[in-house]
Amino acid sequence: MNVVSQDEFSLIFEYFQKPGLTARQINDDVIHGIGDDCAVLRTHDEEHLVLTTDTLIEGRHFPVGADAKEIGQRSLRVNLSDLAAMGAEPRCFQLALSLPKADPRWLKAFSQGLYAVAREFSCMLVGGDTTRGPLTISITAIGAVPSGSAVVRSGGTEGDKIFVTGTLGSAIAGLHTLQAEDRVAVLALDDCLRQAFWRPQPRLKEGRLLRKVASAMIDVSDGLLADLGHIAKASGLGAEIYLSQLPIATRVLEKFGEEQARQWALSGGDDYELCFAVPENKLKALNTLQQTNSLCITEIGKLLPGSGVHCLDSTGQDVLVKHPGYRHF
Ligand code: ADP
Ligand code: MG
């Protein structure tokens, strides 16, 4: 019998999403279930609860032997980024920790990193689970939005303009620079790229502001092409990206040249910027939001009929991109 390897998204669909009852058949307080950055639950009339889980494994999501304080920081930051992608405000989180050994020095540094982020974003640790095993950090973050205002991936409409916050490519540039045998030391050489990898900024303020104007939103964890692909697919549309408008991080351009930097901006993950769609009739409101809040956002493309994400060069020609984004399987 041939064993066909499935990517993580078809695996999730096949075994966890498809066989389940639709959210409303189980509990009509589940407003959005599997398939977005977070699930959304009705808790009371004015507010909905927003939940997300992300797992970080040593050797897969961060280098083996990395600084425990940085691991603590990053673990919570990437989870808060999923709350940002729904336009939610963080409330609390749970921590499931698997440790190869109980090393007090490691635990002290890890918890310092974790709590620094928890304090910065007023998000309290309220529970979890601790076991012995390969180093794995799994966090469930819980947030809230005013009822009905969570921004899902499926809300995009034809012609919506696509934007992205901040710049792209730094975090993956940091990670890819590392030599297999001495990844941590090399990462430490370039502080700017190091920070981008270890301390991604969850765009919570931007997410909150954008829920008034965005029709669809996602955080860029697997790479822009892959994540915009999720918005397009969930919205039943295709998308085009204008390569000449991509906000590639200057440091990455300087250090690695245009071609490599663009490839990372499109396909590298770990940026944790927000990618969002805005309909024509909300562009003015977006402009006002941008001016009054000094939002750093760039228009990069458009949602169109069809499927898939197409990249266009400055002459409007289709450009083939080799590696569309990170996949676990
Ligand atoms: P993100 O990159 O935003 O964290 P993922 O790509 O990890 O999202 O997951 C896609 C969707 O599938 C999310 O809605 C997530 O909650 C859901 N999902 C992932 N793994 C499982 C699982 N084992 N069981 C149920 N739902 C899952
Ligand atoms: Mg996400």
Side-chain angles (χ1 to χ4, degrees), residues 1-328:
M1 192 178 84
N2 284 335
V3 178
V4 180
S5 172
Q6 281 183 300
D7 73 43
E8 71 197 87
F9 305 111
S10 55
L11 182 158
I12 293 164
F13 180 75
E14 183 73 26
Y15 298 104
F16 301 115
Q17 197 165 8
K18 199 171 71 175
L21 297 164
T22 63
R24 287 187 183 281
Q25 283 172 288
I26 301 174
N27 179 340
D28 66 7
D29 288 335
V30 179
I31 298 185
H32 293 286
I34 297 172
D36 225 293
D37 292 290
C38 299
V40 180
L41 304 187
R42 190 193 333 269
T43 42
H44 64 77
D45 287 349
E46 275 131 51
E47 196 172 85
H48 289 166
L49 211 60
V50 176
L51 300 118
T52 178
T53 300
D54 258 322
T55 300
L56 282 81
I57 303 170
E58 183 177 50
R60 174 155 296 274
H61 297 98
F62 55 86
V64 174
D67 184 315
K69 194 168 176 182
E70 299 289 27
I71 299 170
Q73 287 234 22
R74 187 166 193 274
S75 304
L76 185 52
R77 285 175 180 277
V78 303
N79 272 274
L80 295 179
S81 174
D82 274 325
L83 294 182
M86 308 297 286
E89 290 172 35
R91 287 289 158 83
C92 60
F93 70 102
Q94 295 220 340
L95 166 69
L97 191 58
S98 162
L99 294 167
K101 58 178 189 247
D103 172 352
R105 270 206 328 206
W106 190 95
L107 282 160
K108 188 169 179 208
F110 173 82
S111 60
Q112 276 174 350
L114 190 78
Y115 268 98
V117 180
R119 272 191 292 272
E120 183 180 344
F121 295 101
S122 308
C123 188
M124 198 177 158
L125 179 60
V126 293
D129 191 28
T130 305
T131 52
R132 188 196 287 253
L135 180 56
T136 306
I137 301 108
S138 190
I139 287 181
T140 296
I142 297 157
V145 286
S147 301
S149 70
V151 189
V152 292
R153 297 174 180 180
S154 57
T157 55
E158 190 183 323
D160 289 2
K161 300 267 168 63
I162 297 159
F163 296 81
V164 70
T165 59
T167 62
L168 301 169
S170 309
I172 202 70
L175 200 58
H176 274 253
T177 333
L178 314 182
Q179 303 297 323
E181 66 273 19
D182 197 6
R183 296 161 71 94
V184 180
V186 180
L187 193 57
L189 288 179
D190 193 318
D191 203 46
C192 156
L193 301 181
R194 179 181 173 278
Q195 295 267 346
F197 177 73
W198 283 118
R199 301 179 194 182
Q201 188 59 25
R203 297 293 186 189
L204 287 157
K205 181 188 99 177
E206 289 81 351
R208 255 193 329 261
L209 292 167
L210 290 168
R211 69 185 179 220
K212 297 200 179 72
V213 296
S215 56
M217 188 149 67
I218 192 166
D219 64 326
V220 182
S221 56
D222 294 337
L224 180 66
L225 286 182
D227 290 316
L228 175 57
H230 291 313
I231 285 188
K233 190 172 176 197
S235 302
L237 293 166
E240 62 184 22
I241 290 182
Y242 316 124
L243 293 180
S244 58
Q245 288 175 219
L246 280 184
I248 304 174
T250 316
R251 185 85 184 95
V252 183
L253 277 170
E254 285 168 3
K255 208 168 166 178
F256 299 96
E258 199 180 330
E259 204 182 319
Q260 178 64 88
R262 181 197 285 163
Q263 178 70 44
W264 279 334
L266 287 170
S267 314
D270 292 323
D271 291 310
Y272 296 100
E273 296 294 348
L274 297 179
C275 175
F276 58 99
V278 180
E280 194 78 38
N281 64 0
K282 297 275 176 66
L283 289 174
K284 224 167 137 191
L286 175 66
N287 196 262
T288 311
L289 274 182
Q290 184 180 6
Q291 305 292 327
T292 44
N293 299 283
S294 311
L295 289 185
C296 174
I297 57 172
T298 310
E299 185 184 331
I300 56 161
K302 203 199 275 186
L303 288 177
L304 296 168
S307 63
V309 180
H310 301 270
C311 296
L312 305 182
D313 67 14
S314 53
T315 66
Q317 295 292 309
D318 245 303
V319 177
L320 194 67
V321 177
K322 281 187 221 130
H323 308 288
Y326 186 78
R327 297 249 159 138
H328 284 277

